[in-house]
Amino acid sequence: MNEHLREAVNGARFPHPRYVEAVRSAAALITFSGEGSVVAMVGPPRAGKSTAGRAAAREVYPHSNPDSIPYVVVDCSRTDAGYMSMRYLTLDLLAQLGHPFYGDLEHSLRLKLTETNARLQLRRAIEYRRTKLLIIDEAHHLLRVKDRSGREAALESLKCLGNETGALIFLIGGYELLRECFCSAHMNGRLSILHFPRYGTSTSDAGCFDRILASYDVLLPWAKGHSLLEMRDLLYEGSLGSCGLVGNWILLALARMTSLRSQRLRMEHFESARYKQQLAEIAEDISFGESALQPIEKNHIGALEIAPITDISGRKIVRRPGKRLPKRDPVGNAERQR
């Protein structure tokens, strides 16, 4: 029975507005972004970002012929001595592209090649497979480097890979990814942000969140008088409005129920499975992300401090709207050209 419960909760998929909108927006950006662009899908933990990104890729590229691989997905998880390794990420991309030298881990000698050589092979593989989309999941791990310059180098390396091959780089990760993406003017020039937000406290959001709880409720062995909807305020506060965290919390509560040899699920199993410090860390990350993703509004554009255009002498150039920029004088003898 316990195995059945675990599979039922893990396998539960409830299409909801946040997810549907994320898939639609991701598919649109994949379709219309220019070659070599970078898209970053960010949001709270376990919101469904990875699932949405893959679903969007399948929607845009539903078919492929045997020789082409229109998109690949890799997790940015393998590390070198605890730090993120761009070399390992390159090798993982080569394996996903079916490179004959890197697709089989038994070829250990190939794994000893330098990052530079592996990168060259990756560029050739992307061109040969006609790959248009590289999805890097858990992309916030790109920031797990020894120093700040390494963070910039990792993101710049991916941006340059897109520029060299024309492939769209699609990053999926937590809000902390924004801390580095927003710090580079060159990255921002080709960066699009896709926000997969949590559910808020508005009436419409509360209704959607409650429907998710009701969908989970029918799967669980509740004691009389207990249900997710009965403790919805606790569930919202403990999940911070992220439906993915609700699913994870349910599994922890089931584990707590089993360890106490109970047959029915109760509120106390949920209360003892979550800690305040866990919520504090997640809440801080969400607070940063939501504050960083304030959209541009007309009345706020003037608040941006942009240096005025000046001439050689340093005088500010004032140009009326619609007036064209001056052209360079023709090269050669001015008297002859009259």
Side-chain angles (χ1 to χ4, degrees):
M1 177 180 175
N2 290 337
E3 182 68 18
H4 172 73
L5 274 173
R6 184 184 67 81
E7 291 180 358
V9 174
N10 268 333
R13 296 292 183 269
F14 311 122
H16 53 91
R18 291 284 189 267
Y19 175 81
V20 172
E21 177 61 26
V23 174
R24 185 185 300 118
S25 299
L29 283 172
I30 292 171
T31 301
F32 290 102
S33 293
E35 292 186 353
S37 297
V38 179
V39 174
M41 178 190 283
V42 297
R46 300 187 63 84
K49 301 183 296 295
S50 299
T51 305
R54 287 164 168 79
R58 291 192 298 269
E59 184 175 310
V60 177
Y61 301 110
H63 306 291
S64 62
N65 62 55
D67 294 328
S68 69
I69 302 178
Y71 73 92
V72 293
V73 184
V74 295
D75 287 336
C76 184
S77 56
R78 286 211 291 168
T79 61
D80 183 6
Y83 295 103
M84 196 286 302
S85 169
M86 285 299 297
R87 178 171 168 272
Y88 284 164
L89 182 62
T90 301
L91 293 175
D92 286 343
L93 284 168
L94 283 167
Q96 291 297 319
L97 288 167
H99 195 289
F101 292 162
Y102 298 89
D104 187 351
L105 294 180
E106 291 181 2
H107 293 86
S108 57
L109 291 177
R110 296 293 181 181
L111 298 180
K112 295 180 181 179
L113 293 179
T114 65
E115 180 182 343
T116 301
N117 288 332
R119 174 65 171 253
L120 179 60
Q121 295 299 325
L122 177 59
R123 288 174 53 187
R124 291 172 176 171
I126 291 172
E127 294 169 0
Y128 176 77
R129 294 296 191 182
R130 297 191 289 276
T131 303
K132 302 298 183 183
L133 174 65
L134 305 178
I135 299 179
I136 313 297
D137 204 356
E138 302 294 333
H140 47 271
H141 290 157
L142 291 168
L143 309 183
R144 307 291 193 265
V145 292
K146 295 181 180 180
D147 52 48
R148 183 179 179 83
S149 61
R151 297 180 179 183
E152 296 175 359
L155 291 172
E156 285 293 322
S157 177
L158 286 173
K159 185 197 73 172
C160 291
L161 178 64
N163 190 48
E164 294 163 356
T165 62
L168 172 66
I169 307 298
F170 196 108
L171 307 176
I172 302 176
Y175 288 121
E176 62 180 300
L177 189 60
L178 300 176
R179 297 182 187 274
E180 200 61 44
C181 284
F182 281 164
C183 291
S184 170
H186 292 287
M187 176 68 77
N188 278 302
R190 63 179 63 213
L191 176 68
S192 298
I193 299 294
L194 200 169
H195 188 199
F196 193 144
R198 61 180 179 145
Y199 282 99
T201 57
S202 67
T203 301
S204 60
D205 276 10
C208 291
F209 189 78
D210 287 351
R211 284 191 288 274
I212 293 170
L213 297 184
S215 299
Y216 273 120
D217 261 338
V218 299
L219 303 175
L220 303 173
W222 289 106
K224 185 177 180 180
H226 293 261
S227 71
L228 296 179
L229 284 174
E230 288 292 330
M231 52 179 177
R232 64 97 52 208
D233 290 343
L234 174 69
L235 264 294
Y236 182 82
E237 292 176 7
S239 66
L240 299 168
S242 174
C243 58
L245 289 177
V246 172
N248 183 63
W249 196 0
I250 290 172
L251 291 173
L252 294 175
L254 287 171
R256 184 63 175 164
M257 178 193 77
T258 303
S259 68
L260 295 174
R261 297 184 178 180
S262 299
Q263 297 299 316
R264 296 294 174 180
L265 200 56
R266 299 175 180 274
M267 181 184 292
E268 50 263 33
H269 298 142
F270 283 83
E271 292 174 332
S272 60
R274 184 71 81 196
Y275 299 97
K276 291 183 178 180
Q277 188 59 36
Q278 288 179 293
L279 296 179
E281 295 297 325
I282 298 173
E284 182 179 353
D285 183 58
I286 290 175
S287 177
F288 162 74
E290 292 179 344
S291 63
L293 292 175
Q294 293 295 323
I296 295 178
E297 298 176 3
K298 181 179 179 181
N299 294 336
H300 294 164
I301 294 178
L304 297 175
E305 295 184 2
I306 303 176
I309 302 174
T310 59
D311 61 14
I312 298 177
S313 64
R315 292 177 300 180
K316 182 178 178 180
I317 298 176
V318 179
R319 184 162 53 90
R320 292 191 304 274
K323 183 179 179 181
R324 69 172 180 85
L325 290 171
K327 293 183 178 179
R328 181 185 296 274
D329 292 332
V331 177
N333 191 312
E335 292 295 330
R336 188 183 306 168
Q337 295 173 3
R338 288 180 180 175

